[in-house]
Protein backbone atom coordinates (compact mmCIF):
# COMPACT_ATOMS: atom_id res chain seq x y z
CA UNK A 1 0.00 0.00 0.00
CA UNK A 2 1.34 3.48 -0.75
CA UNK A 3 0.45 4.73 2.75
CA UNK A 4 2.59 2.14 4.56
CA UNK A 5 6.25 3.16 4.96
CA UNK A 6 8.87 0.72 3.72
CA UNK A 7 11.80 -0.61 5.75
CA UNK A 8 14.05 1.77 3.83
CA UNK A 9 11.95 4.77 4.91
CA UNK A 10 12.19 3.64 8.56
CA UNK A 11 15.97 3.35 8.24
CA UNK A 12 16.15 6.84 6.74
CA UNK A 13 14.06 8.23 9.61
CA UNK A 14 16.15 6.42 12.26
CA UNK A 15 19.37 7.77 10.78
CA UNK A 16 17.85 11.25 10.63
CA UNK A 17 16.88 11.13 14.34
CA UNK A 18 20.39 9.95 15.28
CA UNK A 19 21.98 12.70 13.18
CA UNK A 20 19.75 15.41 14.71
CA UNK A 21 20.53 14.27 18.26
CA UNK A 22 24.28 14.29 17.52
CA UNK A 23 23.96 17.76 15.97
CA UNK A 24 22.24 19.07 19.11
CA UNK A 25 24.86 17.44 21.35
CA UNK A 26 27.60 19.20 19.36
CA UNK A 27 26.06 22.64 19.92
CA UNK A 28 27.70 24.85 22.59
CA UNK A 29 24.48 24.84 24.66
CA UNK A 30 22.80 22.64 27.22
CA UNK A 31 19.55 21.05 26.12
CA UNK A 32 17.20 18.33 27.21
CA UNK A 33 15.02 15.77 25.48
CA UNK A 34 11.92 14.35 27.10
CA UNK A 35 10.86 10.79 26.21
CA UNK A 36 8.01 8.56 27.20
CA UNK A 37 9.03 5.44 29.13
CA UNK A 38 9.72 2.34 27.08
CA UNK A 39 10.79 -1.14 28.05
CA UNK A 40 13.65 -3.23 26.77
CA UNK A 41 14.78 -6.72 27.72
CA UNK A 42 18.33 -7.03 29.05
CA UNK A 43 19.95 -9.74 26.88
CA UNK A 44 22.14 -10.96 29.77
CA UNK A 45 19.57 -11.23 32.55
CA UNK A 46 16.34 -11.27 30.51
CA UNK A 47 15.00 -8.65 32.95
CA UNK A 48 12.88 -5.74 31.75
CA UNK A 49 14.66 -2.36 31.85
CA UNK A 50 12.79 0.94 31.67
CA UNK A 51 14.45 3.21 29.10
CA UNK A 52 13.57 6.26 27.03
CA UNK A 53 11.14 5.18 24.30
CA UNK A 54 12.57 5.87 20.85
CA UNK A 55 10.91 4.12 17.93
CA UNK A 56 13.06 1.52 16.23
CA UNK A 57 15.24 -1.44 17.12
CA UNK A 58 18.28 -0.29 19.09
CA UNK A 59 17.30 3.37 18.85
CA UNK A 60 16.91 3.87 22.63
CA UNK A 61 20.45 2.65 23.27
CA UNK A 62 21.84 4.65 20.36
CA UNK A 63 20.22 7.93 21.37
CA UNK A 64 21.12 7.46 25.06
CA UNK A 65 24.70 6.78 23.98
CA UNK A 66 24.96 10.25 22.44
CA UNK A 67 23.77 12.01 25.61
CA UNK A 68 25.89 12.95 28.63
CA UNK A 69 23.09 12.64 31.18
CA UNK A 70 20.04 10.37 31.11
CA UNK A 71 17.66 10.49 34.05
CA UNK A 72 14.50 8.65 34.99
CA UNK A 73 11.91 11.05 36.45
CA UNK A 74 9.01 9.81 38.54
CA UNK A 75 6.59 11.00 41.19
CA UNK A 76 7.30 9.32 44.52
CA UNK A 77 4.64 9.18 47.21
CA UNK A 78 5.65 10.75 50.51
CA UNK A 79 5.29 8.23 53.32
CA UNK A 80 2.16 8.81 55.40
CA UNK A 81 0.86 11.58 53.09
CA UNK A 82 -1.16 11.91 49.91
CA UNK A 83 1.44 14.22 48.36
CA UNK A 84 4.05 13.11 45.85
CA UNK A 85 7.52 14.50 45.21
CA UNK A 86 9.25 14.49 41.84
CA UNK A 87 12.52 12.55 41.94
CA UNK A 88 14.98 11.84 39.19
CA UNK A 89 17.33 8.86 39.14
CA UNK A 90 20.78 9.44 37.62
CA UNK A 91 22.45 6.10 38.47
CA UNK A 92 21.53 3.00 36.57
CA UNK A 93 20.12 0.07 38.46
CA UNK A 94 18.73 -3.27 37.25
CA UNK A 95 15.27 -1.76 36.66
CA UNK A 96 15.94 1.70 35.15
CA UNK A 97 18.45 2.96 32.62
CA UNK A 98 20.23 6.14 33.69
CA UNK A 99 23.69 7.67 33.29
CA UNK A 100 25.83 10.62 34.29
CA UNK A 101 29.05 10.92 32.28
CA UNK A 102 30.18 13.82 34.45
CA UNK A 103 29.82 11.74 37.64
CA UNK A 104 28.52 14.94 39.20
CA UNK A 105 24.89 14.22 39.98
CA UNK A 106 23.55 12.37 43.01
CA UNK A 107 22.02 8.95 42.52
CA UNK A 108 18.59 10.45 43.20
CA UNK A 109 17.64 14.14 43.17
CA UNK A 110 14.40 15.31 44.81
CA UNK A 111 12.53 18.24 43.28
CA UNK A 112 14.93 18.46 40.34
CA UNK A 113 15.23 21.66 38.33
CA UNK A 114 17.42 22.48 35.37
CA UNK A 115 19.41 25.05 37.42
CA UNK A 116 20.05 22.43 40.17
CA UNK A 117 21.25 19.88 37.62
CA UNK A 118 23.38 22.43 35.77
CA UNK A 119 24.96 23.73 39.00
CA UNK A 120 25.91 20.20 40.12
CA UNK A 121 27.58 19.50 36.77
CA UNK A 122 29.36 22.88 36.65
CA UNK A 123 30.59 22.48 40.25
CA UNK A 124 32.13 19.11 39.33
CA UNK A 125 33.72 20.52 36.20
CA UNK A 126 35.29 23.40 38.18
CA UNK A 127 36.90 21.00 40.66
CA UNK A 128 40.46 19.95 39.93
CA UNK A 129 40.64 16.47 38.50
CA UNK A 130 44.06 15.62 39.90
CA UNK A 131 44.62 14.89 43.58
CA UNK A 132 46.32 17.68 45.61
CA UNK A 133 49.58 15.70 45.97
CA UNK A 134 49.80 15.32 42.19
CA UNK A 135 49.15 19.05 41.76
CA UNK A 136 52.11 19.92 43.98
CA UNK A 137 54.32 17.56 41.99
CA UNK A 138 53.12 19.03 38.71
CA UNK A 139 53.71 22.58 39.97
CA UNK A 140 57.39 21.90 40.64
CA UNK A 141 59.77 22.70 37.86
CA UNK A 142 61.21 19.60 36.31
CA UNK A 143 64.80 18.92 37.14
CA UNK A 144 66.93 19.92 34.20
CA UNK A 145 69.91 17.94 33.05
CA UNK A 146 73.09 19.01 34.66
CA UNK A 147 76.15 19.21 32.52
CA UNK A 148 79.20 17.42 33.58
CA UNK A 149 82.07 19.73 33.88
CA UNK A 150 85.55 18.49 33.63
CA UNK A 151 87.92 19.57 36.29
CA UNK A 152 91.52 19.90 35.46
CA UNK A 153 94.13 19.35 38.09
Amino acid sequence: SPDVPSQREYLIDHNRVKRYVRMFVDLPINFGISFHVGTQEDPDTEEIIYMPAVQGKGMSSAVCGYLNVVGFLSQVKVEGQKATVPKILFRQNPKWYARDRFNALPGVMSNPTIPKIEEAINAKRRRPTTPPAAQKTAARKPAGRQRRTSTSN
Side-chain angles (χ1 to χ4, degrees):
S1 156
D3 296 334
V4 177
S6 67
Q7 269 189 311
R8 183 175 181 280
E9 288 172 334
Y10 276 110
L11 179 63
I12 290 169
D13 285 341
H14 293 170
N15 287 337
R16 187 177 293 138
V17 167
K18 290 179 192 177
R19 187 174 64 245
Y20 286 154
V21 170
R22 286 193 309 266
M23 288 168 60
F24 270 100
V25 168
D26 289 341
L27 291 173
I29 61 168
N30 296 320
F31 78 99
I33 304 174
S34 178
F35 294 99
H36 285 284
V37 178
T39 58
Q40 190 169 334
E41 188 175 305
D42 186 332
D44 299 330
T45 63
E46 297 181 2
E47 296 281 326
I48 297 294
I49 299 174
Y50 294 99
M51 295 186 73
V54 184
Q55 184 181 3
K57 187 175 181 179
M59 287 292 289
S60 290
S61 299
V63 170
C64 289
Y66 301 139
L67 304 174
N68 292 319
V69 176
V70 176
F72 184 84
L73 179 67
S74 63
Q75 292 287 333
V76 178
K77 189 171 183 193
V78 178
E79 211 172 299
Q81 298 179 13
K82 288 185 179 182
T84 59
V85 175
K87 292 191 177 194
I88 190 166
L89 175 80
F90 291 112
R91 298 278 182 269
Q92 185 164 338
N93 69 33
K95 197 171 179 180
W96 297 286
Y97 180 85
R99 77 186 293 157
D100 170 18
R101 279 199 184 147
F102 302 107
N103 200 23
L105 298 165
V108 176
M109 182 184 283
S110 295
N111 296 310
T113 63
I114 297 299
K116 280 170 74 172
I117 294 168
E118 191 175 27
E119 179 52 37
I121 292 169
N122 288 337
K124 173 72 175 191
R125 294 174 88 185
R126 285 190 295 262
R127 277 188 231 139
T129 55
T130 53
Q135 287 177 350
K136 288 180 185 175
T137 306
R140 281 192 229 146
K141 292 194 176 202
R145 290 186 79 193
Q146 293 185 1
R147 288 184 132 177
R148 289 184 181 218
T149 55
S150 60
T151 55
S152 53
N153 291 358

